[in-house]
Amino acid sequence: MRVALIDPISTGHHVPYARGIAKGLRNAGHEPYAVGSAAWCASLSDLAQVVPLDWAPRGSASYFERQADSRHFYRLAFFACESNGINIAHLLYVDGALSALVRVGIPIGMKVISTLHWYPFLGLSVRQPKQALKALQVVAASWLLDRAGGNLVVHSIAAKKRLSRVGVSRVHAIDYPSAVSCFDVDEIG
């Protein structure tokens, strides 16, 4: 199965995280693809087929420019997946891109796994009424799942339980750092 590892961020802990997933996919007999910036693809080129996008973030752009960049990135990434016969698009980091994904939409029929890393900390760091947090949960998780028919990955059982309480049924808890052997893309995707 061809699995695209998609992340607009090609620095820091994002690279070793993706490399671990790519190794696990290869060990399981799948074909990992790196879809993203030239730097992203270069960081995974020894483990995955690369599909570099003609895209680079603007760096210190305003919030609205960053959202526009994210929308453009995901449009290019989804088109690249469709063009390369990708079976599953794994969005490795959707935390900062949820509103961009809502505006872009996920192509009908594309199998998607979306990883939400910071979800467990939202209730600790954001002082909002419980109703606002619940609304964020519904928008962030349910929309991605129901619209795309995909799956959401979180990194704790507590996060999975919180999402389950608001009606998200296709959520998987996988330890971080990701030990890819602990999940099966055939089952999730």
Side-chain angles (χ1 to χ4, degrees):
M1 186 171 306
R2 292 180 176 185
V3 181
L5 304 177
I6 302 169
D7 193 335
I9 301 169
S10 59
T11 59
H13 68 279
H14 292 253
V15 173
Y17 178 75
R19 289 182 64 79
I21 293 173
K23 286 176 189 174
L25 288 168
R26 281 181 48 183
N27 291 341
H30 298 291
E31 296 178 66
Y33 279 70
V35 177
S37 69
W40 176 252
C41 290
S43 70
L44 296 168
S45 64
D46 61 322
L47 296 171
Q49 299 290 326
V50 297
V51 182
L53 303 177
D54 185 18
W55 178 85
R58 294 185 222 192
S60 62
S62 73
Y63 170 80
F64 295 105
E65 290 170 326
R66 287 191 311 272
Q67 289 299 304
D69 282 350
S70 291
R71 288 191 304 274
H72 182 62
F73 173 82
Y74 284 109
R75 283 185 190 110
L76 290 172
F78 290 141
F79 180 76
C81 287
E82 290 174 331
S83 299
N84 286 279
I86 301 296
N87 303 102
I88 297 174
H90 187 165
L91 310 178
L92 297 178
Y93 185 79
V94 298
D95 298 70
L98 290 171
S99 62
L101 284 171
V102 168
R103 294 191 62 193
V104 168
I106 294 172
I108 302 297
M110 182 174 287
K111 291 184 178 183
V112 176
I113 300 170
S114 302
T115 302
L116 187 60
H117 294 270
W118 289 100
Y119 173 83
F121 303 107
L122 289 175
L124 301 175
S125 63
V126 178
R127 292 193 171 119
Q128 295 179 337
K130 287 182 182 179
Q131 295 81 8
L133 181 56
K134 188 173 182 179
L136 178 61
Q137 293 167 348
V138 171
V139 170
S142 297
W143 182 86
L144 286 170
L145 295 170
D146 296 334
R147 173 75 170 95
N151 293 270
L152 187 69
V153 170
V154 293
H155 292 304
S156 76
I157 297 296
K160 178 181 178 177
K161 287 179 180 177
R162 289 171 78 187
L163 289 168
S164 295
R165 282 196 298 264
V166 295
V168 177
S169 61
R170 290 177 293 194
V171 60
H172 307 271
I174 298 171
D175 288 336
Y176 183 87
S178 179
V180 174
S181 60
C182 71
F183 79 94
D184 181 358
V185 294
D186 295 316
E187 176 190 324
I188 293 179

